[in-house]
Amino acid sequence: MRLVIGNVLSADEVRTVRSALAKARFVDGRETAGFAARLVKHNRQAAVRDHSLDTVRELIESRLRANDVFTMAARPKAFTPLLFSKTAPGMEYGTHIDDALMRGLRTDVAFTLFLCEPKSYGGGELVIEDHDGEDSYKLPAGTMIAYPATTLHRVNPVTRGTRIVCAGWARSFIRDAAQRELLFDLDTARRRLFARDGKSADFDLLSKSLSNLLRMWAED
Ligand code: NI
């Protein structure tokens, strides 16, 4: 399941992140790519050890953890350190699969949070490739897409302007994407029922099923 979530950051918060990035040190993105992805990765990335970005990393992570839709969809247990990338004209990130393990953490859910407006740069779409075709995403600043980290994907060449995004990965309590989707649907239905009828007997039964499926599937 892929999910586009708007307003993860407010316009003010996007500005805060962008101004921190303007002062940060950027290095060749190949430094954090696996040996095969390195061949197709052409972008700039904020230095992971640049502690001037700790505050904005914490801000974004706290917004993600507080986002009900994201937490219901991803069931995150932990995050890898967030990456910030800049892709300038002529740069791209060709088709690749993300590493399954990063810093000892299994990557189940990948996400890209867009930090500049789509009209401010040409190209730079995130394209997710699947057996039945591909879908491309170029979203407003403050909006993110979360998708299973099990997919091949790429970033199209940027033709003008600069594409700036935050990318990250979550280790989910639920390894399997189909199980995460089932839990997301059940939880969504349960919350809608609660909004309509309050804490009914049906709500309690759905809550019991959700809770016990989590117990059955969760890897804590
Ligand atoms: Ni990737």
Side-chain angles (χ1 to χ4, degrees):
M1 178 179 62
R2 295 177 208 154
L3 210 60
V4 171
I5 308 173
N7 300 311
V8 173
L9 296 183
S10 69
D12 271 354
E13 289 166 341
V14 169
R15 270 191 291 276
T16 302
V17 174
R18 290 277 302 275
S19 61
L21 291 179
K23 290 175 225 143
R25 189 168 70 83
F26 277 73
V27 296
D28 191 326
R30 278 174 281 208
E31 285 186 14
T32 57
F35 75 92
R38 197 170 295 157
L39 301 175
V40 292
K41 187 173 186 182
H42 305 289
N43 66 7
R44 306 281 294 165
Q45 221 162 254
V48 177
R49 282 176 293 276
D50 186 341
H51 293 292
S52 72
L53 294 175
D54 287 353
T55 312
V56 293
R57 282 199 178 92
E58 280 162 26
L59 167 73
I60 295 172
E61 199 175 308
S62 73
R63 290 293 176 270
L64 291 176
R65 288 193 181 281
N67 190 299
D68 280 347
V69 178
F70 176 73
T71 54
M72 277 165 56
R75 309 260 165 204
K77 178 180 179 180
F79 292 95
T80 62
L82 297 172
L83 295 180
F84 296 96
S85 76
K86 285 186 184 179
T87 311
M91 295 181 176
E92 64 181 304
Y93 194 168
T95 300
H96 64 280
I97 181 78
D98 296 334
D99 284 345
L101 296 169
M102 293 186 197
R103 297 183 171 212
L105 209 63
R106 193 183 68 223
T107 54
D108 297 310
V109 178
F111 54 86
T112 298
L113 170 63
F114 289 76
L115 294 170
C116 49
E117 293 302 337
K119 277 185 284 191
S120 66
Y121 59 101
E125 299 86 1
L126 169 69
V127 182
I128 298 175
E129 305 174 8
D130 231 322
H131 295 298
D132 57 352
E134 34 182 71
D135 296 297
S136 72
Y137 300 88
K138 188 171 178 176
L139 302 169
T143 296
M144 74 183 278
I145 173 163
Y147 57 101
T150 47
T151 53
L152 285 169
H153 55 277
R154 67 176 191 269
V155 176
N156 280 342
V158 167
T159 54
R160 70 174 165 80
T162 302
R163 173 192 197 260
I164 305 174
V165 301
C166 169
W169 293 266
R171 146 74 151 96
S172 177
F173 283 108
I174 307 296
R175 180 198 297 254
D176 183 78
Q179 290 176 339
R180 285 197 302 273
E181 180 169 343
L182 197 152
L183 294 170
F184 178 78
D185 289 347
L186 193 56
D187 208 352
T188 304
R190 176 182 84 109
R191 285 168 193 240
R192 281 191 198 149
L193 192 69
F194 186 87
R196 200 179 65 207
D197 302 335
K199 191 179 167 308
S200 62
D202 291 339
F203 171 83
D204 286 344
L205 269 180
L206 279 177
S207 297
K208 178 184 161 190
S209 295
L210 176 69
S211 201
N212 289 334
L213 282 172
L214 267 167
R215 284 190 183 88
M216 200 180 289
W217 293 335
E219 295 168 10
D220 56 6

